[in-house]
Amino acid sequence: MAEAGAAQYVPPDADLGKLREASRDCHGCDLYRHATQTIFGEGPASAEIVMVGEQPGDREDREGHPFVGPAGGLLDRALAEAGIDRERVYLTNTVKHFKFEERGKRRIHKQPGRTEIVACAPWFEAELRAVQPRLIVCLGSVAAKAILGSSFRVTAHRGQLVDAPDPPGHAVIATVHPASVLRATDRAAAYAEFVADLKKVRAALT
């Protein structure tokens, strides 16, 4: 049975390279049993922005990198339109393993539970210590609730600059996950709103 929580696998005061290497052996929750691999965050240690989503998807799980699927492609385009260089952004997820259910030959995304999010939190906290960003951007409600509390609603407060209670001392802006833009009935309008939120991210750093 998996050990409870990732804290015991996180090396103290480690840089991103050592954290990434250590994360490969994490058994802090049971998700490692079925996922192909740990998908750790990627980006420069000097990044001013840390963008955090929910969890890796099917393509991320197979390729070993975050945000490389359709949602990642949309995020790339939106970042460019908002004037944010993705190469200066650290991208990660609250949960580092892909949670899914099998339907025939397909692996269908399942939202991680509170236990899995809490178990994986030490990795994100270690990433923040290593990067020391000026701003955290939560992509979607799972990431926002993990950082800003279970009562936080992205629909009510998206694009607003707030302070994170946990971990404290970080400025945070929440917006939707790019995957939700792909699912939107009016995709053009949803995309425009997403880009508008990212422009607020850029403005917050000036």
Side-chain angles (χ1 to χ4, degrees), residues 55-132:
Q55 66 164 353
D58 179 77
R59 186 166 165 185
E60 286 80 7
D61 178 66
R62 297 181 191 279
E63 297 188 17
H65 303 282
F67 290 93
V68 293
L74 185 143
L75 177 61
D76 285 348
R77 183 158 59 95
L79 285 170
E81 287 193 30
I84 299 172
D85 182 359
R86 176 168 168 166
E87 297 301 317
R88 299 177 65 184
V89 175
Y90 186 83
L91 290 166
T92 190
N93 286 291
T94 54
V95 172
K96 310 303 188 197
H97 287 106
F98 179 37
K99 183 177 182 178
F100 62 92
E101 61 181 20
E102 293 182 311
R103 295 182 189 172
K105 295 183 178 181
R106 298 179 63 199
R107 301 191 303 172
I108 306 300
H109 161 277
K110 286 187 68 176
Q111 184 170 301
R114 180 66 181 169
T115 299
E116 293 149 349
I117 293 169
V118 171
C120 209
W123 288 118
F124 181 62
E125 293 165 3
E127 287 174 299
L128 290 182
R129 288 193 297 270
V131 177
Q132 292 292 311

Side-chain angles (χ1 to χ4, degrees), residues 1-189:
M1 185 172 181
E3 300 290 341
Q8 62 188 305
Y9 300 96
V10 180
D13 302 319
D15 61 19
L16 289 176
K18 291 179 181 178
L19 289 171
R20 183 175 293 107
E21 182 177 353
S23 73
R24 296 170 184 161
D25 298 319
C26 184
H27 296 172
C29 74
D30 283 334
L31 293 185
Y32 82 94
R33 297 180 180 277
H34 304 290
T36 303
Q37 57 194 313
T38 306
I39 310 302
F40 203 71
E42 292 184 356
S46 59
E48 288 187 307
I49 303 170
V50 166
M51 289 191 166
V52 54
E54 176 187 306
Q55 66 164 353
D58 179 77
R59 186 166 165 185
E60 286 80 7
D61 178 66
R62 297 181 191 279
E63 297 188 17
H65 303 282
F67 290 93
V68 293
L74 185 143
L75 177 61
D76 285 348
R77 183 158 59 95
L79 285 170
E81 287 193 30
I84 299 172
D85 182 359
R86 176 168 168 166
E87 297 301 317
R88 299 177 65 184
V89 175
Y90 186 83
L91 290 166
T92 190
N93 286 291
T94 54
V95 172
K96 310 303 188 197
H97 287 106
F98 179 37
K99 183 177 182 178
F100 62 92
E101 61 181 20
E102 293 182 311
R103 295 182 189 172
K105 295 183 178 181
R106 298 179 63 199
R107 301 191 303 172
I108 306 300
H109 161 277
K110 286 187 68 176
Q111 184 170 301
R114 180 66 181 169
T115 299
E116 293 149 349
I117 293 169
V118 171
C120 209
W123 288 118
F124 181 62
E125 293 165 3
E127 287 174 299
L128 290 182
R129 288 193 297 270
V131 177
Q132 292 292 311
R134 290 177 58 191
L135 184 63
I136 299 170
V137 179
C138 297
L139 300 172
S141 63
V142 171
K145 289 181 179 181
I147 294 167
L148 297 171
S150 59
S151 63
F152 186 85
R153 297 291 180 268
V154 172
T155 51
H157 303 289
R158 62 182 294 179
Q160 297 179 13
L161 190 65
V162 297
D163 292 324
D166 186 21
H170 288 89
V172 183
I173 290 178
T175 184
V176 298
H177 195 285
S180 72
V181 178
L182 293 173
R183 296 191 300 265
T185 302
D186 188 343
R187 189 181 296 184

